[in-house]
Amino acid sequence: RHLLRRHLQSALVGDGRAGYFNQEVIATLDTPLDFRSLSCERQYREALAAVYAKGKAWLTPVEIFRPHYAEAIGRSMLSRHRQAYGPSEPLRICEVGGGTGTAALSLLGWLAKAHPEEYARCHYRLLEPSERLARVQAGRLRDAGVPPERAEVVRLASSGEWPPEARAAQAGAWSLLLLEVLDNLPHDKLRHDPDAGLLEAHVTAASSPGSGPGSGPASGRPFREEFEPLADPV
């Protein structure tokens, strides 16, 4: 029995080794889609359907529109950074939940080609709670020849807490990047009852005593939601 946010955190990343994002649920394309050869939306949808027909897992927008999606983000970040801080401040990017590292690779690749002077002093940090995805990110950056002074992967604790080395190294101006993150964040759920006031959601195993009808293995629902008077200090 857990608060809803704790149940969601466990289901998504578990202890960093279990959970949804420690399975192979996010895919990468061996070859980016050739958008110049697609003349209409129908051809785009057909090309994407052909990719998924090969058994590909979930593809994020930054992967489907690689490298253009991340390059557009990079152009915007660099422009705003220069307007706010001028040319003397190096570009620092912190991406939370970096997936397979495609955004980092595409953005850094664009920066190295279009603005080599900015690339030579930039720093890109990926914060990742999934042990498997952190390994994938670090491996792809290493295989692409990105030096450690340009990019690093920092493992977050399964609770989402930043490790001490990350908290202590946030000097200077940073641009924060979160892609496909807000819809995957653990959250609480509250309900207002006219008589009982605010109630907080808990998740419990459907087979627990008192779980009631309409739950359990026969119903196909292994968990059930229960509401209790608000007690969580957060």
Side-chain angles (χ1 to χ4, degrees):
R1 178 177 168 277
H2 300 284
L3 281 167
L4 176 62
R5 73 168 182 272
R6 292 173 182 161
H7 174 77
L8 293 174
Q9 180 74 24
S10 176
L12 289 170
V13 296
D15 61 355
R17 297 178 178 85
Y20 179 78
F21 284 109
N22 284 290
Q23 307 171 50
E24 293 189 13
V25 293
I26 304 177
T28 59
L29 290 173
D30 298 329
T31 304
L33 294 178
D34 183 8
F35 285 96
R36 290 185 176 85
S37 68
L38 307 177
S39 61
C40 60
E41 180 182 351
R42 178 181 60 82
Q43 290 188 359
Y44 158 73
R45 292 188 178 277
E46 289 175 349
L48 190 59
V51 171
Y52 277 116
K54 297 176 182 177
K56 286 289 185 184
W58 173 42
L59 292 167
T60 61
V62 75
E63 186 67 45
I64 295 173
F65 299 102
R66 187 177 101 214
H68 317 293
Y69 195 101
E71 289 181 0
I73 293 173
R75 284 193 293 271
S76 176
M77 277 188 168
L78 182 58
S79 174
R80 291 173 180 271
H81 180 81
R82 285 175 167 175
Q83 289 175 8
Y85 303 105
S88 61
E89 183 76 10
L91 180 65
R92 304 179 186 91
I93 300 172
C94 179
E95 182 180 2
V96 181
T100 60
T102 294
L105 284 169
S106 299
L107 196 157
L108 288 171
W110 164 79
L111 191 65
K113 292 180 181 178
H115 302 277
E117 73 290 350
E118 294 285 355
Y119 176 80
R121 60 197 187 113
C122 78
H123 189 73
Y124 198 113
R125 172 177 290 152
L126 296 108
L127 299 179
E128 180 57 56
S130 164
E131 184 179 273
R132 189 188 72 83
L133 288 177
R135 287 198 307 269
V136 171
Q137 294 163 15
R140 294 188 72 197
L141 288 167
R142 182 178 58 252
D143 293 345
V146 178
E149 60 269 23
R150 299 283 74 79
E152 65 173 330
V153 178
V154 177
R155 273 288 315 283
L156 290 176
S158 58
S159 63
E161 293 291 329
W162 287 28
E165 65 270 20
R167 293 199 301 268
Q170 299 301 310
W174 286 78
S175 297
L176 188 62
L177 178 60
L178 297 91
L179 301 175
E180 311 298 315
V181 170
L182 293 181
D183 55 340
N184 289 302
L185 286 178
H187 58 272
D188 290 305
K189 182 177 181 181
L190 301 179
R191 175 182 290 176
H192 182 266
D193 183 275
D195 299 319
L198 283 176
L199 305 175
E200 61 188 15
H202 291 254
V203 177
T204 186
S207 58
S208 298
S211 58
S215 61
S219 69
R221 295 192 294 270
F223 300 100
R224 63 175 281 117
E225 187 179 69
E226 297 176 346
F227 284 87
E228 297 182 3
L230 180 62
D232 181 58
V234 175

